[in-house]
Amino acid sequence: MSRTRELAEQFRDEVVTLRRALHQVPEYDLDLPKTQRLILDALDGLPLEITLGKELSSVTAVLRGGRRPGPVVLLRGDMDALPVTERTDVPFASRHPGMMHACGHDLHVAGLVGAAKVLCALRDELAGDVVFMFQPGEETSGGAPIMIREGVLDAAGRRADAAYGLHVGASSQPLGMWSSRPGSFMAAADQLHVRVIGEGTHGSTPFRGKDPIPVLCEMVTALQTMITRQFDVFDPVVLTVGRIAGGTKENIIPDDAVFDATVRTFSEKTRAKVQESSIRLVESMAAAHGLAVEAEYQIGYPVTVNDEAEYEFARETIVDLFGADRFRQRANPRCGAEDFSYILQEVPGVYVNLSACASHDPDAAADNHSPLADFDDSVLPDGAALLAELAVRRLAR
């Protein structure tokens, strides 16, 4: 067993205890004072230079290696929870009504603390510096860009040379399985907001007004046709209308109606094209019916792109540490989005998945974001060991 795995096993009880404490106090968005306090307490006594965020409850910790100067490696763990009411029966369930660590970020934080403990134990052997990035706001407004603006990439006094992160899953793969892929790994996530403006009247005499509802319905179906006819199936687009609202009563034609959609893409070229095409389509359809429209295409998280060389480095490291049978290269990108993408736009690196599925039937298990999502924290030493090993090897290159 590698030195990093041995050390991570020694810290197992500490990181599991931390994870379960975090799970009980889930916090939302950018202001996470209880989570931040638990992190600071867990890092107390380690030889780290710690900086707290100004606009958010982030924690940035820098470990100076014993063999310097050298490269800088950044390791990231996101901290925030979701507005979900937990329905698991674990004894450490959420004590915050309506909030839950349903995406496993409590494991990410605990795993990163574990990696910090391992690397502090190996400090004299490190040929450079390590930045530990504890980040709020991944699920909401995007904490990564704020931390970049506040200097996380240069926290060691020089720009990070590589960045690594991991995400746990509650379903789909057997417990302990790693996966990733080179290139596009997760989607860009944008939003399309449309308000169709008509003219209200009595439902019995629609000709006296301008009914926005049938026009809105035509737009929803036309957007799907646009996707299948204007975009390459091998550079896909997923457009889902998740909200429609209009009217107050069955016999009243309203003045307006609205819909909101999420748009997932896997390349910047297609992302730009769907923005232009969707706005043009809804504007043209409204005009064809003599109605007005307000349409906004809101840019969200970019595509998460794994550097190909860093991906191969991470794959080899996983296989060395855990065996080839515990790694699977994904054939296709994932449609979820991730604000670690902003880090990977600035610094070459890789994002990997680790299954923490607590069920013997991963295909039937509740997925991330479900109130029934159940994560097995026995994988925490493996997550900590991988992050630490990536840092050790990358600094030594």
Side-chain angles (χ1 to χ4, degrees):
M1 184 181 289
S2 71
R3 181 69 171 137
T4 52
R5 288 194 71 185
E6 290 177 356
L7 287 167
E9 281 296 331
Q10 293 178 23
F11 295 118
R12 174 185 289 274
D13 290 347
E14 293 179 41
V15 296
V16 168
T17 298
L18 173 60
R19 180 261 161 157
R20 296 182 181 188
L22 289 162
H23 193 84
Q24 293 178 71
V25 291
E27 296 174 297
Y28 189 59
D29 201 18
L30 301 176
D31 186 23
L32 319 177
K34 293 181 181 179
T35 305
Q36 185 186 61
R37 184 71 262 162
L38 284 168
I39 293 168
L40 293 173
D41 289 345
L43 299 178
D44 187 43
L46 297 177
L48 300 167
E49 301 169 11
I50 292 179
T51 305
L52 305 184
K54 297 181 178 67
E55 297 180 41
L56 70 178
S57 299
S58 62
V59 178
T60 300
V62 178
L63 174 63
R64 303 292 182 185
R67 296 164 51 204
R68 301 174 62 238
V72 175
V73 165
L74 182 145
L75 305 176
R76 179 267 205 165
D78 39 0
M79 303 160 56
D80 55 322
L82 287 159
V84 171
T85 298
E86 183 161 6
R87 290 169 51 204
T88 70
D89 58 1
V90 297
F92 49 88
S94 171
R95 299 199 306 251
H96 289 181
M99 289 290 166
M100 178 187 176
H101 269 296
C103 203
H105 294 187
D106 49 340
L107 279 81
H108 301 172
V109 169
L112 187 56
V113 167
K117 290 177 178 289
V118 170
L119 290 169
C120 285
L122 300 173
R123 180 184 186 185
D124 291 344
E125 305 170 27
L126 297 181
D129 300 335
V130 183
V131 176
F132 302 95
M133 176 184 178
F134 295 91
Q135 179 220 301
E138 190 280 325
E139 298 287 1
T140 50
S141 46
I146 300 174
M147 290 191 71
I148 291 172
R149 188 164 66 244
E150 292 191 352
V152 69
L153 297 180
D154 303 294
R158 55 201 188 283
R159 178 57 56 113
D161 296 281
Y164 306 106
L166 65 84
H167 202 302
V168 295
S171 68
S172 302
Q173 296 193 84
L175 179 68
M177 181 66 73
W178 296 91
S179 63
S180 190
R181 74 187 304 275
S184 298
F185 181 46
M186 298 182 75
D190 302 326
Q191 296 84 45
L192 175 63
H193 304 288
V194 176
R195 175 177 174 240
V196 183
I197 303 167
E199 190 176 303
T201 189
H202 198 285
S204 65
T205 55
F207 64 93
R208 294 185 179 277
K210 295 179 180 179
D211 191 347
I213 290 179
V215 178
L216 179 148
C217 293
E218 286 185 30
M219 290 177 179
V220 171
T221 56
L223 284 166
Q224 301 305 320
T225 303
M226 177 193 80
I227 298 302
T228 63
R229 291 298 175 264
Q230 295 185 31
F231 292 89
D232 186 346
V233 68
F234 297 108
D235 187 5
V237 178
V238 177
L239 190 154
T240 298
V241 176
R243 175 179 176 268
I244 294 177
T248 57
K249 199 172 185 296
E250 78 283 350
N251 65 344
I252 301 172
I253 289 175
D255 282 331
D256 62 2
V258 299
F259 71 88
D260 301 311
T262 183
V263 186
R264 308 295 169 120
T265 53
F266 298 93
S267 70
E268 288 303 319
K269 178 181 177 182
T270 293
R271 189 186 197 189
K273 181 179 177 182
V274 75
Q275 177 179 3
E276 177 186 355
S277 297
S278 60
I279 296 296
R280 182 178 64 242
L281 183 145
V282 299
E283 288 180 345
S284 299
M285 292 186 71
H289 288 276
L291 276 68
V293 66
E294 296 173 352
E296 178 189 9
Y297 193 96
Q298 185 176 344
I299 297 295
Y301 294 170
V303 183
T304 301
V305 180
N306 283 336
D307 179 86
E308 296 200 5
E310 293 293 349
Y311 164 79
E312 186 58 27
F313 163 63
R315 186 195 66 79
E316 291 175 356
T317 303
I318 292 169
V319 170
D320 284 351
L321 259 60
F322 306 107
D325 60 334
R326 284 188 56 189
F327 181 81
R328 179 173 72 87
Q329 179 171 313
R330 289 185 176 271
N332 301 305
R334 302 187 62 187
C335 282
E338 168 59 60
D339 79 340
F340 191 62
S341 53
Y342 291 104
I343 301 293
L344 295 181
Q345 284 185 329
E346 302 288 335
V347 176
V350 67
Y351 201 53
V352 299
N353 290 153
L354 170 62
S355 176
C357 178
S359 171
H360 294 296
D361 185 358
D363 290 331
D367 202 357
N368 291 29
H369 288 220
S370 165
L372 296 172
D374 190 7
F375 299 90
D376 189 331
D377 51 26
S378 67
V379 300
L380 281 171
D382 286 352
L386 178 68
L387 291 173
E389 186 72 19
L390 289 170
V392 170
R393 294 190 184 197
R394 182 62 179 82
L395 292 177
R397 255 166 43 191

Coordinates of all heavy atoms in Angstrom, one line a residue, residues 12 31 33 39 89 170 199 266 303 341 375:
R12 N -8.8 7.9 9.1 CA -10.2 7.5 8.8 C -11.2 8.0 9.8 O -12.2 8.6 9.4 CB -10.3 6.0 8.6 CG -11.7 5.5 8.4 CD -11.8 4.0 8.4 NE -11.2 3.4 7.1 CZ -11.9 3.3 6.0 NH1 -13.1 3.6 5.9 NH2 -11.2 2.7 4.9
D31 N -22.9 31.7 2.2 CA -22.7 32.1 3.6 C -22.8 30.8 4.4 O -23.9 30.4 4.7 CB -23.6 33.1 4.0 CG -23.4 33.6 5.5 OD1 -22.2 33.5 5.9 OD2 -24.3 34.1 6.1
P33 N -21.3 29.7 7.7 CA -20.5 29.9 8.9 C -20.2 28.7 9.7 O -19.1 28.5 10.2 CB -21.2 31.0 9.7 CG -22.7 30.8 9.2 CD -22.6 30.5 7.8
I39 N -14.4 23.3 9.5 CA -13.2 23.1 8.7 C -12.0 23.7 9.4 O -11.0 23.1 9.5 CB -13.4 23.8 7.3 CG1 -14.4 23.1 6.4 CG2 -12.0 23.9 6.5 CD1 -14.8 23.8 5.2
D89 N -32.6 7.6 6.8 CA -32.7 7.2 8.2 C -31.4 7.1 8.9 O -31.2 6.4 9.9 CB -33.5 5.9 8.4 CG -32.8 4.8 7.6 OD1 -31.8 5.0 7.0 OD2 -33.4 3.6 7.7
A170 N -24.0 8.9 -5.6 CA -24.8 8.1 -4.7 C -25.4 6.9 -5.5 O -26.1 6.1 -4.9 CB -25.9 8.9 -4.1
E199 N -52.4 40.0 -25.1 CA -53.4 41.0 -24.7 C -54.6 40.3 -24.1 O -55.2 39.5 -24.8 CB -53.8 41.8 -25.9 CG -54.7 43.1 -25.6 CD -55.0 43.9 -26.9 OE1 -54.0 44.3 -27.5 OE2 -56.1 44.0 -27.2
F266 N -21.8 21.0 -24.8 CA -20.6 20.4 -24.5 C -19.4 21.0 -25.3 O -18.3 20.5 -25.2 CB -20.6 18.9 -24.7 CG -21.6 18.2 -23.9 CD1 -22.9 18.0 -24.3 CD2 -21.3 17.7 -22.6 CE1 -23.9 17.4 -23.5 CE2 -22.2 17.1 -21.8 CZ -23.5 16.9 -22.2
V303 N -18.4 24.6 -19.8 CA -18.1 23.2 -20.0 C -16.9 22.9 -19.1 O -15.9 23.6 -19.0 CB -17.7 22.8 -21.4 CG1 -17.5 21.3 -21.6 CG2 -18.8 23.3 -22.4
S341 N -15.3 24.0 -13.4 CA -15.0 24.4 -14.8 C -14.2 25.7 -14.9 O -13.4 25.9 -15.8 CB -16.2 24.4 -15.6 OG -17.2 25.3 -15.0
F375 N -24.9 8.3 0.9 CA -23.5 8.2 0.6 C -22.8 7.4 1.7 O -22.9 7.6 2.9 CB -22.9 9.6 0.5 CG -23.5 10.5 -0.5 CD1 -24.6 11.3 -0.2 CD2 -23.0 10.5 -1.8 CE1 -25.2 12.1 -1.2 CE2 -23.6 11.3 -2.8 CZ -24.7 12.1 -2.5

